[in-house]
Amino acid sequence: MQLHLRGATIDDLELLTDMNRQLIEDEGSSNPMNREQLKRRMRDWLTSDWKVDLLMSGDAIVGYALYQFRFNVYRPEVREAYIRQYFIGRAYRKTGYGLQGVELLKEQRLKDAETIEIDVLESNRIGKSFWLKAGFAPYVTNMRMSNRSGWKDGE
């Protein structure tokens, strides 16, 4: 079935919170937020300059996208889009809905952006594979060092 987009509203807050929790689990994120914190954060996004679209197949909600328009740091005349969260429900994966949703976003919501940027956790092998298939290419590598047990000599 064909996908379409519907702008999310505050009435979708509970559902978006649940999908966000699943996204955090599925991508292997270290995000420690509880449901109330996720709900509060999602409410803040819904009432700010962030955009949230539900990906719909008929009346069924297949997933969602959370994104924001920005201007390029080096070329302020260039409009960019940053997709912070993109989620396809577990029951709808491997059906083509994920790629179809990206195409819909590009055609209907992000068409005025010169570039689209995403972040993918290095450990999220499935997510990286999906975004490569969708036409994205690696641009930067973010590296971290943990100080949980104290810095060791030479580090």
Side-chain angles (χ1 to χ4, degrees):
M1 186 172 261
Q2 194 71 14
L3 276 186
H4 64 278
L5 300 174
R6 174 174 73 76
T9 69
I10 203 73
D11 292 336
D12 300 307
L13 183 59
E14 297 293 333
L15 176 64
L16 287 165
T17 301
D18 291 340
M19 288 191 291
N20 186 205
R21 169 52 56 205
Q22 282 184 40
L23 174 62
I24 289 166
E25 292 169 3
D26 294 348
E27 69 184 2
S29 172
S30 60
N31 183 335
M33 295 173 85
N34 64 35
R35 190 173 193 291
E36 261 324 293
Q37 292 168 320
L38 291 173
K39 185 176 175 179
R40 190 170 30 253
R41 182 177 70 163
M42 188 62 72
R43 182 182 298 111
D44 290 345
W45 282 327
L46 283 167
T47 58
S48 70
D49 65 339
W50 287 87
K51 310 292 183 207
V52 184
D53 280 315
L54 296 175
L55 289 84
M56 310 283 300
S57 176
D59 291 335
I61 297 171
V62 170
Y64 77 98
L66 169 72
Y67 56 95
Q68 182 183 57
F69 291 101
R70 300 174 174 179
F71 291 96
N72 184 286
V73 177
Y74 304 111
R75 296 176 39 220
E77 73 281 3
V78 173
R79 190 172 194 218
E80 301 177 327
Y82 172 66
I83 300 175
R84 180 177 172 109
Q85 295 177 1
Y86 186 79
F87 175 77
I88 299 296
R90 293 169 181 157
Y92 298 102
R93 293 181 191 159
K94 306 285 186 197
T95 63
Y97 283 139
L99 292 175
Q100 194 179 131
V102 171
E103 288 304 312
L104 270 178
L105 286 168
K106 286 174 15 186
E107 294 167 8
Q108 296 181 13
R109 302 293 203 247
L110 310 178
K111 62 185 171 202
D112 295 331
E114 190 170 308
T115 60
I116 302 170
E117 193 173 309
I118 58 167
D119 291 321
V120 182
L121 293 174
E122 188 65 28
S123 60
N124 186 356
R125 182 183 49 78
I126 294 170
K128 284 171 48 175
S129 175
F130 169 78
W131 289 110
L132 287 168
K133 189 185 289 187
F136 287 75
Y139 174 69
V140 68
T141 298
N142 177 293
M143 300 176 83
R144 289 188 179 174
M145 179 185 288
S146 175
N147 189 18
R148 289 187 184 188
S149 59
W151 302 120
K152 296 178 182 158
D153 288 340
E155 293 183 348

